[in-house]
Amino acid sequence: MRAFGFLSFGHYGNGGGVHGVDARRMLHDAIDIAQGADDLGVNGAYFRVHHFATQSASPMPLLAAVAARTRHIEVGTGVIDMRYENPLYLAEEAAALDLIADGRVALGVSRGSPEPAERGWEAFGYTGSTDPRGADIAREKFEIFLDAVRGRPMARAAQSPYGAPVAPGAGLRVEPHSPGLIDRIWWGAGSRESAESVGRQGLNLMSSTLLTEATGESFGDLQREQIDRFRAAYREAGHTGAPRVSVSRSIFPVVTGEDRMLFGMRPGEGSDQIGIIDGLRSTFGRTYTGEPDELIAQLQADAAVQAADTVMLTIPSQMGVELNLRILQNVAEHVAPALGWKPNTEGPVAGQPVS
């Protein structure tokens, strides 16, 4: 682990809502948490995307605001649901965001997670999927999105082009274009097979908060196998870069008596959980809570944390700015340095070369 960031689900309530947090408060808190995290040296501010739910959605306005208020922190998503996206419009937005952020974007996308709506993407106008989970249209859109981000022609100029100095019939890319953005696109993978697919494509791996496997091995060991398969597929496909890998964890250092009261371990939180998601038996990661020395030893024994360059800390964003910044500060001061962490002032995070 060389970097850590926070991952916010952006929960809020209707009106008084969850701890008095409505949508407006959630968005302003997200910006303030990101700004405070930037000052602490935290490496990333990442946001989940959920539709038809009282959670964070439409991430581009939020990420642009975060980018404008910060200097060093990476801004991104974990993850955008491609079933709901127009791939060319998303490519335009992502490029504009990356230019605003001066190349600090880490955009995570995927097929999307289970959601409240029944085939909700169809309400957004995206029909034609024959998969009950919409994976077919998500993958198709993702390929188009990648072509657009790479700057490939996505349309042809008219015979009498209006408003652009281009030749009739010339290929047109989407604008604006950010040349380095393609190197900072991540796919959120929840299985070994999807991780291998990411490797073959030469992209970055954002390992999910759960894995659709339950073999009896620990979540960290399952995730480590996923990461190893990703890197092997990346190498075998002939890619020669240094791809990024992130994993997500819930980590709450207990430094004060108040920390113990707030984050004391609840029954079942100290071990992995097995459940059913999308009809598949899946493994969910544990919560790490304890004094710093204890957490350091546990995280050093977590094979996936050791293999990844970035750890995303899932935070209770609905609990407000002060509490969440205290969690991040406790990690930055008492846990992360022993794991190899380098603060954001030391420059962008680099992946591990695959040779």
Side-chain angles (χ1 to χ4, degrees), residues 129-209:
S129 172
T130 59
D131 185 327
R133 302 180 301 161
D136 50 355
I137 62 170
R139 283 288 185 179
E140 181 181 353
K141 289 182 180 188
F142 185 55
E143 295 299 330
I144 296 171
F145 169 72
L146 290 178
D147 283 343
V149 170
R150 290 184 174 111
R152 292 174 179 167
M154 305 306 295
R156 292 289 169 189
Q159 289 305 305
S160 299
Y162 178 78
V166 295
L172 301 175
R173 70 184 187 188
V174 298
E175 296 289 353
H177 176 67
S178 182
L181 178 60
I182 189 62
D183 296 326
R184 284 172 277 108
I185 301 298
W186 307 59
W187 180 266
S191 69
R192 291 170 290 194
E193 291 74 16
S194 57
E196 290 172 346
S197 175
V198 179
R200 287 190 292 270
Q201 290 179 290
L203 303 171
N204 303 296
L205 174 66
M206 190 172 285
S207 188
S208 178
T209 52

